[in-house]
Amino acid sequence: MTAVSPGMPTTGTGRCFCGAVRYQWFRAPLWACHCHCESCRRTCSAPFTSFFGLADDAWSWTGEEPVVFTSSPGVRRSFCGRCGAPMTFAADRFAGETHFYAATMDAPETYVATAHVYMAEKLPWIHLDDGLPQHQGPLE
């Protein structure tokens, strides 16, 4: 993915619902977008979810490490083992980066998306008028 989000903070912290799993990042995110794919919707029980991508050497866990679930070949999703909050998505096809759920940020109001992805899977009752680019699949 290659859509840098210039408005995103270059450093920050985040956590799960109960606070056991915590993380920090110390370089600007690679990208930030809203994902409408069915897998993300089902994982979060939400009509779409918002992510930001960090290079694997730009962040670290500062609390307990989350539980990792291999949801399909080459795809790993992490969540808090105490409260169950989803934390990250990582896939072999996006080597070298980890995708964090924007809602886990300690300051989610600072999140700035640059696009919508997987619009081909968007629910028909979601109506968007934010002016962001809409991609039928992933960011290219």
Side-chain angles (χ1 to χ4, degrees), residues 31-101:
W31 53 267
C33 65
H34 304 296
C35 183
H36 295 266
C37 80
E38 180 181 5
S39 295
C40 286
R41 291 196 324 260
R42 292 193 181 279
T43 300
C44 294
S45 299
F48 64 91
T49 193
S50 302
F51 284 109
F52 60 101
L54 295 170
D56 285 340
D57 63 353
W59 67 274
S60 63
W61 297 117
T62 58
E64 292 179 17
E65 290 196 18
V67 174
V68 176
F69 170 65
T70 301
S71 59
S72 58
V75 175
R76 296 160 306 284
R77 296 174 183 273
S78 76
F79 60 94
C80 176
R82 290 186 190 188
C83 68
M87 298 300 296
T88 67
F89 169 92
D92 293 350
R93 68 178 187 222
F94 303 118
E97 65 185 62
T98 299
H99 308 171
F100 286 81
Y101 292 95

